[in-house]
Amino acid sequence: MSVPFLDLKAAYDELAAQAEPEMLRALRSGWYILGPEVERFETAFAQYCGTSHAIGVANGLDALRIALMAVGVGAGDKVLVPSNTYIATWLAVSQCGATPVPVEPDARTHNITAEGIRAAMAPGVKAVIPVHLYGQPANMPAIMAVAREFDLKVIEDAAQAHGARWGDTRIGGHGDVACWSFYPGKNLGALGDGGGLTTNDPEIADRMRILRNYGSREKYKNEVPGLNSRLDPVQAAFLSVKLQVLDSWNARRAEVAASYQEAFADLDLILPEVATEAAPVWHLYVVRHPHRDTLAAILAEAGVQTLVHYPIPPHAQQAYASLGMTDHDLPLARQLADEVLSLPIGPHLSAAQIEQVISATRSALKTL
Ligand SMILES: *Cc1c(COP(=O)(O)O)cnc(C)c1O
């Protein structure tokens, strides 16, 4: 038996009977840009996140760009970003004409901290983008306190954290804006690209609504140079259905994570660490080992597919060669990139597949 990293077909099959009539209604409605399906999803998602506004956009990268533009980040500004994030976090900053300034994460939670932000502060820094990496929420109360002290805007990259909580509060409204991706592999994934924004600030919400639609409130009247970045109504119809199962699917992920945590506790393997106040949603289950590539190869041999999130840190990408940053500047980002390994943790893993991942990992560790 083989264990795929993520089974999107199984996810679709479970929702098909409920979702297909909804998508068919959207297809037959004659309304194909924004409109009632998108508004329905926006209302439901805002309610789910406990925020007063949700805005559907085309993808997660655009969500980040629009959020930065809406809080006034532009040419010449600096924005603090994690050194170990997916490159989209950095690209959004660059595409606004600003410069990403990396912050090394906490080595155990993989998230940036208030202390890290304080240490990285520099003249010209206007905003910070904490990422709730792997579905583990960052410590938002502490980050908000340091951001207030330095008068920083806070844009959350919540692309991996649909449904996560810090304390009793869901991710979505801690910062000025939270940015979401509905890329198919995300916990709340669509059947193609999609993204969203949540906020409690009515003025920022208003700016973001205009920015996603050519900077226009009224057709052919353009207030600001905006983007064309709108959530598709058919995707919105699907997402409205998927949102209803998000909590139960996240609970299944948590069960898989709990099985792994227990089964691997005695192994010479660095396991994910969850902060006491955090309720993660286990977008990824990421372990660390100095011989990561060998471990991945042994698991593949045993039929267990793994992935690396992420093998090359943004500072070492060709796209950022011009920044001139080296591994010497960001040693933790490099070390994590060399050591992290993501095990399968989708909501459609069977008990037998979970067992196979556990036994394959346990026996692999004996030979490493
Ligand atoms: C997926 C992801 C994004 C980008 O989302 P897209 O919808 O693919 O543009 C941004 N940040 C993080 C942390 C992500 O995981």
Side-chain angles (χ1 to χ4, degrees):
M1 185 173 58
S2 76
V3 186
F5 184 73
L6 182 64
D7 191 345
L8 288 176
K9 172 83 168 79
Y12 183 78
D13 288 346
E14 187 179 331
L15 292 180
Q18 220 187 323
E20 283 174 0
E22 302 288 315
M23 291 190 282
L24 199 56
R25 190 187 60 219
L27 284 173
R28 289 176 173 171
S29 71
W31 197 312
Y32 303 119
I33 298 291
L34 297 176
E37 296 293 347
V38 173
E39 283 166 25
R40 209 159 60 91
F41 172 69
E42 287 174 341
T43 303
F45 191 58
Q47 190 181 14
Y48 178 85
C49 294
T51 57
S52 39
H53 306 274
I55 296 155
V57 297
N59 55 65
L61 173 59
D62 280 359
L64 288 160
R65 291 166 63 189
I66 290 170
L68 288 164
M69 289 163 79
V71 301
V73 169
D77 293 329
K78 291 177 184 160
V79 178
L80 300 179
V81 291
S83 62
N84 61 325
T85 183
Y86 180 54
I87 197 167
T89 319
W90 287 46
L91 290 178
V93 173
S94 307
Q95 288 167 9
C96 287
T99 305
V101 176
V103 178
E104 290 269 73
D106 177 274
R108 291 155 308 137
T109 65
H110 297 142
N111 280 326
I112 62 168
T113 63
E115 298 73 50
I117 290 169
R118 187 181 296 281
M121 268 311 295
V125 173
K126 189 149 180 184
V128 55
I129 312 184
V131 179
H132 307 296
L133 200 67
Y134 308 149
Q136 305 279 345
N139 183 342
M140 287 311 297
I143 289 173
M144 291 313 292
V146 74
R148 252 176 249 121
E149 192 181 320
F150 292 110
D151 200 21
L152 302 180
K153 299 292 181 190
V154 180
I155 307 296
E156 296 172 72
D157 183 338
Q160 303 187 355
H162 316 77
R165 294 172 195 265
W166 183 273
D168 293 329
T169 318
R170 265 217 229 273
I171 295 305
H174 290 89
D176 292 290
V177 184
C179 303
W180 305 90
S181 166
F182 306 128
Y183 179 82
K186 304 291 161 91
N187 289 36
L188 182 60
L191 305 171
D193 279 312
L197 295 149
T198 52
T199 183
N200 286 313
D201 184 319
E203 281 170 31
I204 293 176
D206 185 59
R207 278 200 286 280
M208 297 194 299
R209 271 186 204 288
I210 296 172
L211 281 166
R212 77 166 163 183
N213 193 22
Y214 283 109
S216 172
R217 202 183 301 271
E218 214 181 300
K219 207 164 187 180
Y220 304 131
K221 215 172 141 192
N222 305 86
E223 298 174 27
V224 287
L227 285 70
N228 173 1
S229 182
R230 303 174 291 219
L231 180 63
D232 180 88
V234 180
Q235 298 298 341
F238 178 75
L239 287 167
S240 292
V241 171
K242 193 158 184 182
L243 184 59
Q244 294 169 32
V245 303
L246 178 60
D247 283 343
S248 72
W249 287 20
N250 280 345
R252 291 190 213 165
R253 289 173 182 270
E255 276 175 39
V256 181
S259 303
Y260 289 166
Q261 293 289 74
E262 195 188 327
F264 302 150
D266 62 329
L267 297 184
D268 197 6
L269 190 64
I270 301 179
L271 303 182
E273 194 166 303
V274 180
T276 4
E277 303 92 326
V281 289
W282 299 104
H283 174 58
L284 297 169
Y285 184 88
V286 178
V287 298
R288 275 173 62 196
H289 194 280
H291 303 301
R292 185 265 318 279
D293 291 336
T294 315
L295 173 58
I298 298 172
L299 290 176
E301 199 65 27
V304 174
Q305 188 192 4
T306 59
L307 292 176
V308 173
H309 299 90
Y310 299 91
I312 307 174
H315 76 266
Q317 295 284 357
Q318 196 185 336
Y320 281 111
S322 64
L323 290 182
M325 292 177 198
T326 66
D327 291 348
H328 182 75
D329 302 318
L330 298 165
L332 190 51
R334 168 51 66 190
Q335 190 186 356
L336 293 173
D338 289 345
E339 295 185 355
V340 292
L341 187 68
S342 306
L343 303 182
I345 194 174
H348 292 86
L349 283 180
S350 68
Q353 287 175 317
I354 296 167
E355 204 37 61
Q356 186 174 338
V357 175
I358 290 173
S359 63
T361 305
R362 289 193 63 84
S363 63
L365 260 290
K366 285 186 194 128
T367 69
L368 283 175

